[in-house]
Each structure stands twice: as structure tokens, then as C-alpha cells.
Amino acid sequence: VVHNSNSRAFSSTAAVVWSKYEEYGIGGDVSISPEHGNGVVNWETNDARMEAYSMTGTSVWNIPTTTEWPFTAANKAGSLYALVESTTSYTIGAEGNTLGTVNISGSIKAAVVNSEGTAVFIGHENETIGSVARYTKDGSLEWSIEVPSGIVGLNICDDGSKLIMTCAGMNTLYVLDPESGDILQDDIYYYQNSPKQAPGMSYDGEYIAWGDFNGKGYLYRWNGEQYEEVWTANLTMSGQSSCWGYGCAVSSDGSTIVLGTLGFVADGYDGYVFVFNNYSGTPLWSAQTKGPVNTVDVTADGSLIAAASDGPMNHSTGDLLIYRRQSSMVFLDVNTAGSMIKVDITDDGALCI
């Protein structure tokens, strides 16, 4: 966990306040909640568990997991979590208590929690058909709709007005009404078979952004009835034979779009962080990370940007990178023994995990 001594980009210092190392484990999904004082990590493979830590790094609670590659989702307040193990989703409260259980006939591919902490949305499928469903935190079904198979992501904007679902089977991004499950739009092309992050969304869902397997980045804006494309950006850099869009985030105020990439080069892989204004597909800046940028996050006003990267094989530069919006110069560089996969930064930029 990184602490920024003053909120947002006006701080002059930042430092690591605690770190955890699992020699034979993989750190998966993470979330940080100043409201409840917890940083939560989904540890995968050996000694697999979902574990919450206090702001001093002390273990507060943990929940063992037993299936291969479980994943988690959380609201920003840290009042509700979804823990997914293959065909089962558990809703977990801030104290690590299980509030509800949902058993699915099929495989759960994606989950997201609304900001109020009152509902969990689950995307699941069998061999022929997919479904998106809304459940209360006690596990009661509120609605379910059938969608094509190939679900690869879900996201919901913080004001709860729009839910998006990405489907690799149909190369389509769907827009749903979170209250009713009605499909609001189903004609947005989405070419991404294994995204590291679901498309980023602003607070009210006015803007959504993502990168694809063609080395392109996209920004769309809600016009009151549907999304329309604002710009397309080229993410493939000189020396790369091809490029995949990986990380994607939109600031809550919609001003700042951040995209991260995996680039294929002659001697292996590299990656870049790109930062854009919402009105132009020409980046404010780009920064090379010497490894794939798996996930990114951004503060509410866009002033601080965090990126989780594989980093270079020789560990010559960091894996967790924090930037100010106005410059591609790294504000904080954290070098680790492995790679960083997930990152979460608070709205005010005071904490990052």
C-alpha cells in the first residue's frame, strides 16, 4: 500500500506504508477503502485466500478459497465484496462476514458491485448461452437476462445508471439498465477476447473507454439515448509489431482517460501508459514501462494515475508506477521481485494498493 502525503497531485512525497510478499502465491484482485480502513487482496494458488489488511498492514480477516483462479469485486466504500469461485459467488461484508451465496449452473465469468453496496451483478454462461443477473447482497435474484456466450467483463458507473457487459463471442459491448436489466444498446463493436480490465467508466457513465487487440483505443460518450464514438486513438508504438489494449480507466469527472498496453517487440514484450483528454485522441503523453501494463486506475479528478506492470525482466525499473497527470515523469516507482497485476487508487489519491 502506498500513501500520498497530501491528496491528489499537490503532494510532494509518497511512500510505501506496508507490503506483503507471498513466495509461492499470486496477488490477484485488490481494493483499498479508507472508509472501512481495509486493503483487500485476493491471493491465488498456494494458501489461496481473500484477505483484508488494516492501514498498518495487520491482517484483519481472511477467507480461504479452494477453486482455481477465484476473483473478487468490491465497491469503493469497501462495504460489499463479491468473491467468485467457479460456479459460486459469495457476498462479503466489510467485516469479512458472508451475507449471501449464489450458486450458478454454469461458469461465472465476471462480477461487479454497485457503489451503494446493495447489489451484485454476475455474468455467467454454459456452453451455448450466457446470462447477466442482478442479486441482492443476501443472494436473492432480482432479474436475469439471456445474452450470447463469451462474456469477458462487467462494469457499472458509480451513480448506478448504466451497466456495461462485454462479449467476445459477439465482439459487442452491451449497455444495460442496472435497475431492470433492459438492454439499452447492443451495437458497439468490441474486439477483445481476454481483457485485463472491463472498459473504464466516468462517475455517471457519460464516458466509457477501452483498448482492443488491434492496438486501438476508444472513447464513447452518452448522448442521452445511446453511446456515440468521440475518438479512436492509435496505441501501437514504433518498434512494435502489434499491440493489445490492456488497462483502461476513466476519471470520475470524465476529464481524463488512461489506457495501458502490451506491445510485441523483437526481443519480447513492452508496454506503455497513455493519458488523454476526453476531447482528443492525441495523447497528452505516453510513458514506456518495459513490460505489459496490466491494469490502470486514476483519481476522481484525473490528477494522479496508477499503473500495474510486469516491468522489465531485469527489474531495472518499477512494476507499480504512479504519475501526475501533467507529466510522463514517474512520481513514484515501486520495484518488486515479480510483476504487478492489479491496482486500485482512492478517489482523492491518498492511498493506492
Side-chain angles (χ1 to χ4, degrees):
V1 166
V2 172
H3 179 249
N4 189 15
S5 64
N6 191 10
S7 63
R8 298 188 169 91
F10 302 107
S11 171
S12 60
T13 62
V16 176
V17 293
W18 60 257
S19 62
K20 302 295 175 182
Y21 176 61
E22 296 276 325
E23 185 175 5
Y24 301 108
I26 297 174
D29 297 307
V30 296
S31 62
I32 188 81
S33 167
E35 291 184 46
H36 288 276
N38 290 340
V40 177
V41 181
N42 174 38
W43 294 106
E44 301 170 0
T45 63
N46 296 282
D47 194 18
R49 66 200 186 278
M50 177 184 181
E51 186 157 15
Y53 300 93
S54 71
M55 291 299 103
T56 60
T58 303
S59 177
V60 179
W61 52 261
N62 76 80
I63 301 171
T65 55
T66 58
T67 58
E68 189 176 19
W69 309 122
F71 61 91
T72 62
N75 66 342
K76 288 183 178 180
S79 62
L80 191 69
Y81 302 87
L83 168 60
V84 174
E85 293 203 71
S86 184
T87 61
T88 303
S89 174
Y90 304 94
T91 47
I92 310 296
E95 306 303 321
N97 50 315
T98 300
L99 303 174
T101 302
V102 174
N103 293 302
I104 299 294
S105 176
S107 179
I108 301 175
K109 301 297 184 180
V112 69
V113 179
N114 68 350
S115 63
E116 296 90 347
T118 58
V120 176
F121 299 85
I122 294 172
H124 59 94
E125 59 188 45
N126 54 33
E127 294 180 358
T128 59
I129 195 71
S131 296
V132 176
R134 172 177 171 141
Y135 293 89
T136 63
K137 59 185 179 182
D138 67 2
S140 300
L141 177 66
E142 294 191 299
W143 56 255
S144 178
I145 62 166
E146 286 191 355
V147 295
S149 61
I151 298 168
V152 290
L154 286 173
N155 202 0
I156 185 171
C157 56
D158 285 341
D159 77 347
S161 62
K162 301 169 193 71
L163 174 72
I164 57 175
M165 184 271 289
T166 50
C167 179
M170 297 296 289
N171 289 335
T172 301
L173 184 153
Y174 293 82
V175 185
L176 287 74
D177 182 331
E179 294 299 321
S180 65
D182 293 341
I183 295 177
L184 306 177
Q185 190 171 358
D186 62 359
D187 61 354
I188 301 174
Y189 182 70
Y190 180 85
Y191 178 50
Q192 178 69 279
N193 293 329
S194 54
K196 294 291 185 177
Q197 280 183 287
M201 305 183 77
S202 60
Y203 173 85
D204 57 1
E206 180 181 5
Y207 291 98
I208 58 174
W210 68 94
D212 73 4
F213 276 4
N214 285 323
K216 301 293 185 182
Y218 301 90
L219 180 69
Y220 277 67
R221 185 178 186 183
W222 186 255
N223 67 9
E225 295 182 353
Q226 63 179 10
Y227 282 106
E228 294 180 331
E229 185 177 307
V230 178
W231 50 250
T232 300
N234 176 42
L235 305 179
T236 305
M237 301 296 280
S238 175
Q240 295 179 345
S241 59
S242 62
C243 168
W244 293 353
Y246 259 18
C248 45
V250 179
S251 60
S252 290
D253 65 5
S255 66
T256 306
I257 289 78
V258 184
L259 300 175
T261 65
L262 159 64
F264 297 88
V265 294
D267 59 350
Y269 309 97
D270 72 354
Y272 280 81
V273 176
F274 294 84
V275 176
F276 301 86
N277 284 312
N278 60 18
Y279 53 81
S280 174
T282 300
L284 288 168
W285 52 261
S286 61
Q288 189 177 24
T289 60
K290 305 293 183 66
V293 180
N294 296 307
T295 52
V296 295
D297 201 7
V298 59
T299 55
D301 65 356
S303 61
L304 286 174
I305 291 128
S309 169
D310 283 5
M313 291 295 292
N314 63 4
H315 302 290
S316 58
T317 61
D319 313 300
L320 172 62
L321 306 164
I322 298 179
Y323 305 87
R324 292 185 175 98
R325 186 183 194 272
Q326 63 264 37
S327 172
S328 62
M329 182 180 296
V330 176
F331 173 50
L332 181 71
D333 177 327
V334 180
N335 208 332
T336 70
S339 301
M340 286 290 183
I341 300 173
K342 303 284 183 157
V343 67
D344 185 34
I345 194 168
T346 54
D347 276 349
D348 65 359
L351 294 166
C352 178
I353 185 171

